[in-house]
Amino acid sequence: MTQYQGYLLDLDGTMYRGDEVLPGGADLVRRLVEAGIPYRFITNNSSKTPEEAADKLTQMGIAAAADHVITSSMAAADYLLRRHGTVRVFAVGERGLFHALTRAGHQLTEDRPDVVVIGIDREITYEKLAAACLFIRDGAAFIVTNADKAIPTERGLMPGNGALAAAVETSTGQAPVVIGKPEEPLTTTAMASLNLPKEQVVLVGDNYDTDISAGFAAGIDTLMVLTGLTSREELTQKQQQPDYVVDDLTEWEVVT
């Protein structure tokens, strides 16, 4: 087993499911803290600030501070800085997205934006989608925090950000730049935060199509944990396999 100097950890399905802590998650983080190994929680969820995400983890007994969390909103703000500098943004989303964009120095506007950024918005309206379409047709760049078509809730699978973005893409004919897993921008931001060579980092996740595929795209070793979305049976059907597979995180040894 390789000695890794840094960890990228998915949240839902890996660390917890809803309000339930999954086996081994809190203990893995405790062992990383004791070994002095840096880690980042990476999530496609654009709705929460890093402080809010860290607070939820802390309440579950998982050691976390805001600087341990990298959200797709933060990665979107970082992507815009790297590609365009500070820009005028029309943002469709929730608190986490607005917080990340303004903290990075971007200006939120409803008048002639340079960029339209769409994150999950559980108070979406036709007018918000219409405005996004008009701005994109007028030349604004089109960014989405993530392309998840559905999100798990207590009520079942609900429309995800990918469903909202699809309406805008269908109307405008313009495909967006996707920030979240499995695309590279989120892992790029997280890796920059760790400041380690990719050979020294492992990405841990439960969803083959987002987490594990993000590791493949970034050239990072991957650990598949079978506590979430992807089952062992589904995994056997995949052509490219993760570097490691465990039933839950109690089986994973932190090598120091």
Side-chain angles (χ1 to χ4, degrees):
M1 190 175 292
T2 303
Q3 178 180 348
Y4 292 104
Q5 302 301 311
Y7 279 67
L8 299 180
L9 304 167
D10 174 56
L11 289 178
D12 201 1
T14 301
M15 291 289 110
Y16 55 72
R17 184 189 299 113
D19 293 325
E20 173 194 4
V21 181
L22 290 169
D27 186 59
L28 170 61
V29 174
R30 178 188 60 77
R31 285 178 284 147
L32 295 177
V33 171
E34 290 176 352
I37 296 173
Y39 56 93
R40 298 291 183 270
F41 299 105
I42 58 173
T43 176
N44 274 0
N45 187 335
S46 64
S47 66
K48 295 185 182 301
T49 68
E51 290 80 7
E52 290 167 342
D55 183 59
K56 175 174 180 173
L57 288 163
T58 300
Q59 291 181 31
M60 291 181 161
I62 300 171
D67 59 5
H68 289 124
V69 179
I70 307 292
T71 70
S72 60
S73 291
M74 296 166 64
D78 179 60
Y79 174 88
L80 290 174
L81 280 178
R82 288 186 283 109
R83 293 299 182 95
H84 306 290
T86 53
V87 290
R88 292 163 53 85
V89 182
F90 176 71
V92 176
E94 298 182 10
R95 173 180 164 82
L97 180 58
F98 307 144
H99 178 272
L101 290 169
T102 54
R103 176 178 280 187
H106 304 298
Q107 179 185 349
L108 300 181
T109 184
E110 297 183 3
D111 179 36
R112 292 178 295 173
D114 305 302
V115 182
V116 170
V117 180
I118 296 182
I120 189 68
D121 184 348
R122 284 163 288 198
E123 296 184 357
I124 192 66
T125 64
Y126 181 85
E127 182 54 37
K128 290 179 184 179
L129 294 175
C133 291
L134 290 170
F135 290 138
I136 291 166
R137 286 198 181 93
D138 202 34
F142 182 18
I143 308 290
V144 298
T145 58
N146 66 290
D148 296 15
K149 293 180 175 61
I151 51 177
T153 73
E154 292 79 4
R155 297 169 60 191
L157 289 174
M158 303 287 280
N161 192 49
L164 306 184
V168 176
E169 180 176 356
T170 299
S171 177
T172 62
Q174 179 69 45
V177 172
V178 180
I179 299 300
K181 299 173 288 185
E183 306 304 327
E184 290 189 48
L186 177 55
T187 49
T188 296
T189 297
M191 287 296 292
S193 175
L194 283 176
N195 194 28
L196 291 169
K198 61 184 179 181
E199 296 81 9
Q200 296 180 8
V201 176
V202 63
L203 190 155
V204 184
D206 71 291
N207 185 331
Y208 181 94
D209 292 329
T210 56
D211 306 321
I212 304 305
S213 295
F216 295 156
I220 303 168
D221 283 359
T222 53
L223 166 60
M224 178 93 215
V225 57
L226 301 173
T227 50
L229 194 64
T230 303
S231 68
R232 188 178 293 276
E233 181 179 1
E234 290 169 328
L235 184 60
T236 62
Q237 306 302 314
K238 303 295 186 181
Q239 182 174 1
Q240 187 173 3
Q241 291 291 302
D243 296 281
Y244 311 96
V245 181
V246 294
D247 287 319
D248 62 55
L249 289 174
T250 62
E251 300 177 10
W252 180 253
E253 180 182 354
V254 174
V255 179
T256 58

